[in-house]
Amino acid sequence: MNTALPAFDANEDMDYIINGFVMQIGMLFKKAGFNLPETEMPEIKYSNASVRCYDPAIGIHDFAPVKHYGYLEALGAYFPCDEKPEERRFELFTQNIKDVAAIYTIAKTTIPFQDPAFRPIYEMHIKDITALILCHEIAHWFVHQSTDSSGMPIGKLQYRLNDEIFFHEGLAQALVFNGLQEFDHLLELLLWMEGGQPQQYIAYKRLGFDCEVVLQSLQIVNQIGMQSYELLEQTVLAHADNNKPHKPDIVKNFLTQPITPEFQRESMEDFFNYLIAEQPELAEKYRGIYHASKFNV
């Protein structure tokens, strides 16, 4: 894996944070049996483009920093570009980062914006938020570019359904939380941002705080060929009951005891197609549940 950082305007502290984060999550991936990315880390681009946000509760809406200071997609993005890998990139939305840094500085210090003492603290928070957002995007890249113990990649990222969105954001934030344990000030920032975040960015807490278990569960979910938060959470829970989760038990629980029924319904078609291809006896056994879900019975 090439862990060299792309060239960008950052001080040594930021380089130290990013390199430390990459090393930490690299160790977590290796311990869980993944093969690390062999490609170059994507280039970082800066943008002042207007960004809209998504909240499962209300849909797509404009970004308002005071209300939505924890909306990570308004601060940065990872563009996977499977069809044109040379166009793969991290994009950081600099004006939005600055706006959120100003809000954080006021919240932390109560120093007025006009006070000369405000600026150095504000500039420090710009760097901290930039580092945190970049770590979040690097986490997405790790999930996308690592391969499981059989050499299988996660494949083209799916981001259409809430079940898929929660899967990707839950994984990314679990990695951010675990990869930044050395940096208390960034964890404090991460937790502050959660006050202005939609649920997909807080979903990592439902997976527990043992990232090795989360990544071992990802191995199983990847073998099934899905990007499903419901299936990932079911697998993590199975780990809690049994150090070596039994895949038929996970299948049964996904079909008969959904944790988030909305997510299960969204991914039922893909899950049942997997059963037909790989475990036809289970597909036949649970066909009634599939049809009931399909017709919302």
Side-chain angles (χ1 to χ4, degrees):
M1 179 184 70
N2 187 320
T3 59
L5 287 173
F8 67 111
D9 288 331
N11 62 12
E12 291 182 3
D13 289 342
M14 195 158 154
D15 286 345
Y16 177 75
I17 290 168
I18 301 302
N19 281 317
F21 176 76
V22 168
M23 289 180 62
Q24 180 64 22
I25 65 170
M27 287 189 291
L28 288 169
F29 269 80
K30 287 174 72 174
K31 195 170 182 181
F34 281 88
N35 306 302
L36 300 184
E38 296 182 353
T39 58
E40 293 274 346
M41 196 178 289
E43 182 181 358
I44 299 170
K45 302 223 171 187
Y46 295 95
S47 171
N48 284 324
S50 297
V51 180
R52 304 199 78 202
C53 302
Y54 176 68
D55 184 337
I58 60 175
I60 297 172
H61 57 83
D62 292 331
F63 174 64
V66 174
K67 286 176 61 179
H68 311 133
Y69 55 85
Y71 279 62
L72 302 184
E73 75 265 44
L75 306 178
Y78 168 54
F79 292 91
C81 297
D82 286 325
E83 294 78 11
K84 295 182 178 179
E86 69 279 5
E87 295 182 8
R88 193 171 290 143
R89 70 189 186 279
F90 301 133
E91 195 159 317
L92 299 177
F93 303 111
T94 51
Q95 186 57 54
N96 292 350
I97 289 173
K98 290 176 181 178
D99 290 343
V100 172
I103 295 164
Y104 186 54
T105 305
I106 292 168
K108 286 284 291 180
T109 68
T110 68
I111 298 173
F113 187 80
Q114 300 85 352
D115 192 313
F118 183 90
R119 187 161 193 84
I121 302 172
Y122 163 65
E123 289 178 348
M124 178 183 69
H125 288 155
I126 290 174
K127 292 171 184 174
D128 287 344
I129 293 171
T130 300
L132 184 64
I133 297 304
L134 188 51
C135 287
H136 177 85
E137 305 312 334
I138 290 171
H140 281 304
W141 176 73
F142 257 86
V143 171
H144 182 216
Q145 287 295 300
S146 296
T147 57
D148 67 20
S149 55
S150 68
M152 181 187 302
I154 197 169
K156 184 174 182 178
L157 297 190
Q158 301 295 327
Y159 208 82
R160 307 156 298 150
L161 309 172
N162 281 323
D163 195 27
E164 296 166 342
I165 291 169
F166 275 64
F167 170 84
H168 289 294
E169 300 304 341
L171 276 172
Q173 284 301 83
L175 289 165
V176 169
F177 184 86
N178 280 266
L180 292 176
Q181 289 297 308
E182 178 184 344
F183 303 101
D184 290 343
H185 68 296
L186 292 181
L187 291 181
E188 184 178 353
L189 171 60
L190 182 152
L191 293 173
W192 174 80
M193 292 178 77
E194 288 181 2
Q197 282 178 349
Q199 286 300 306
Q200 64 264 35
Y201 298 118
I202 309 173
Y204 75 97
K205 294 182 176 181
R206 286 171 49 180
L207 301 175
F209 296 96
D210 187 336
C211 204
E212 186 179 348
V213 167
V214 173
L215 289 174
Q216 287 170 348
S217 299
L218 178 61
Q219 289 264 16
I220 295 172
V221 174
N222 204 45
Q223 289 163 15
I224 293 174
M226 291 181 63
Q227 296 170 33
S228 161
Y229 183 85
E230 173 69 23
L231 187 55
L232 180 64
E233 190 173 15
Q234 291 281 7
T235 309
V236 167
L237 288 177
H239 266 283
D241 297 330
N242 181 348
N243 287 332
K244 293 184 179 178
H246 192 42
K247 197 179 291 185
D249 290 339
I250 297 169
V251 169
K252 177 183 175 183
N253 290 339
F254 178 92
L255 291 167
T256 64
Q257 300 177 50
I259 301 165
T260 309
E262 174 196 347
F263 292 174
Q264 182 227 41
R265 287 193 295 272
E266 287 181 342
S267 294
M268 179 65 81
E269 188 80 28
D270 289 340
F271 190 75
F272 204 73
N273 286 338
Y274 158 78
L275 288 183
I276 291 171
E278 301 295 333
Q279 300 186 53
E281 72 289 351
L282 290 179
E284 187 59 36
K285 179 178 178 180
Y286 294 115
R287 186 174 296 279
I289 292 174
Y290 162 69
H291 284 294
S293 173
K294 185 173 182 179
F295 296 105
N296 203 25
V297 176

